[in-house]
Amino acid sequence: MILPARNEADYIGPCVRSIVTQQVSGDLEVIVADGRSSDETARLAREAGAIVVDNPLGITPAGLNAALAAARGDVVVRFDAHAVMPPGYVEASVQALDEEPGAAGVGGWRQVDANGPWGRAIAAALASRFGIGNPRLWRRPEPGESRVDVDTFNLGSWRAEDLRAQGGWSKRFIRNQDFELNYRLRRAGGRIIFDPAIWSIYHPRESLRAIARQYWDYGRFKSLMVATHPRSLKPRQLGPVGLLTAAVGAALPSRLAGPARAALAAYCGALTIVAARAGGGWRTFPVLATIHAAWGAGLLAGLASRLGALGSGKRGSADAPTNGCEGS
């Protein structure tokens, strides 16, 4: 069991305790890669029962690789400090890896445990088909729902030998590192499998500003994914870019302004209906709009940075490390 953490004193204790109390048939070790926290994260992790290793770079993929290097088990389960593991999580993960032919990785869904109205709106937005990503990963499965092949999943479990054969997580992907890893595993012939029996509890960010910053980062590092693996781009992921294009077109005096304004009006109408049905209150509308706009703007900014870097012969600024080890 590996997890990166930096300044997670409020969450690391309950997280680690939820892991060490798992009932498993073999040995279980919990390795926390601490990104040189300025709070009590490392001490609290040790007190809860974890082994703590150093992550001097303080970024998620470097922490995951440091923990992977220290891991002794055959199966590696990746977890996050902002999550809590329900009973049976590890056993369900190992079982899925053993039972599914060609499985390179398995993962499940997340139950969002929000403390306030913005957190509940974020939970509703994540589970909506109008969001970004696979809503299957953020909602309770329907009764009888079975395992299915997917592009990626939240958190995940892999065989240690497969991870090491791929070189672990790419340190270039400070965000979206699980998606990039799973893409390489699929290209190598492995299956990435969603199992509804695997789930965890996630504590979301509780402000619109935080969600904007998060999805700006996701969009920027999606541009790195597109540059590195162009075929990974899905048509639906161009939707936020289209939204921003329509917003710019609507503001400019041209013959495209009318159609652009009509497209924006249709978008707002659809978003109003979706938000009303999502169950997160009125805040779901600005959360979804912020997710779309921030992700699209981050993607365009990242691509522009990379094009500029190609012209100057330098690496794009989207590759620069940022603080924090939580999230992918």
Side-chain angles (χ1 to χ4, degrees):
M1 177 67 60
I2 64 174
L3 61 143
R6 183 175 183 274
N7 294 335
E8 296 287 2
D10 292 340
Y11 297 97
I12 195 66
C15 174
V16 172
R17 284 191 289 273
S18 75
I19 299 171
V20 298
T21 55
Q22 293 282 305
Q23 298 295 316
V24 297
S25 56
D27 295 331
L28 176 68
E29 62 180 2
V30 183
I31 303 174
V32 173
D34 177 51
R36 301 196 172 177
S37 300
S38 58
D39 61 12
E40 296 296 308
T41 295
R43 179 183 65 81
L44 293 171
R46 290 190 185 96
E47 290 180 355
I51 300 166
V52 178
V53 299
D54 186 29
N55 174 17
L57 291 181
I59 58 174
T60 300
L64 290 168
N65 288 333
L68 174 62
R72 297 172 297 175
D74 295 329
V75 173
V76 173
V77 181
R78 180 255 167 98
F79 215 60
D80 279 338
H82 269 249
V84 175
M85 184 177 289
Y89 184 99
V90 174
E91 282 291 285
S93 299
V94 173
Q95 183 178 359
L97 275 175
D98 288 341
E99 291 180 352
E100 290 293 331
V106 299
W109 57 283
R110 306 183 86 174
Q111 175 180 302
V112 182
D113 184 9
N115 294 322
W118 283 110
R120 289 190 286 274
I122 290 167
L126 290 173
S128 169
R129 294 183 181 276
F130 213 62
I132 292 175
N134 187 348
R136 182 198 303 272
L137 308 180
W138 296 100
R139 60 166 175 80
R140 184 177 296 277
E142 299 293 333
E145 193 168 332
S146 58
R147 296 169 183 160
V148 62
D149 286 48
V150 292
D151 292 336
T152 194
F153 37 58
N154 295 314
L155 309 178
S157 302
W158 305 263
R159 291 184 178 85
E161 62 180 356
D162 291 339
L163 292 178
R164 292 181 176 123
Q166 288 291 329
W169 286 265
S170 171
K171 284 191 278 191
R172 295 181 67 197
F173 286 84
I174 300 169
R175 297 288 183 263
N176 302 337
Q177 67 276 156
D178 286 340
F179 186 98
E180 194 273 338
L181 169 66
N182 287 331
Y183 182 81
R184 283 187 279 131
L185 289 167
R186 287 191 291 112
R187 288 293 300 272
R191 296 173 59 204
I192 300 301
I193 297 169
F194 169 85
D195 187 341
I198 303 170
W199 66 283
S200 60
I201 299 169
Y202 172 70
H203 301 290
R205 290 158 176 79
E206 295 279 350
S207 74
L208 197 61
R209 180 179 180 181
I211 203 74
R213 184 170 58 249
Q214 180 183 18
Y215 277 85
W216 165 268
D217 277 349
Y218 287 165
R220 283 198 313 134
F221 281 92
K222 184 63 179 180
S223 73
L224 176 58
M225 187 70 192
V226 172
T228 308
H229 307 291
R231 293 183 180 180
S232 68
L233 186 66
K234 303 293 184 183
R236 61 176 172 76
Q237 294 173 329
L238 296 175
V241 176
L243 169 65
L244 292 176
T245 302
V248 172
L252 296 177
S254 73
R255 22 180 111 158
L256 296 178
R261 289 167 187 162
L264 280 179
Y267 168 80
C268 290
L271 202 63
T272 300
I273 295 171
V274 170
R277 293 176 177 176
W282 66 267
R283 290 174 177 83
T284 307
F285 184 106
V287 166
L288 280 168
T290 297
I291 286 174
H292 294 157
W295 193 92
L299 174 62
L300 291 175
L303 290 174
S305 174
R306 290 177 201 294
L307 289 174
L310 286 175
S312 64
K314 298 179 181 179
R315 175 174 287 189
S317 61
D319 293 345
T322 60
N323 291 330
C325 287
E326 187 273 325
S328 61

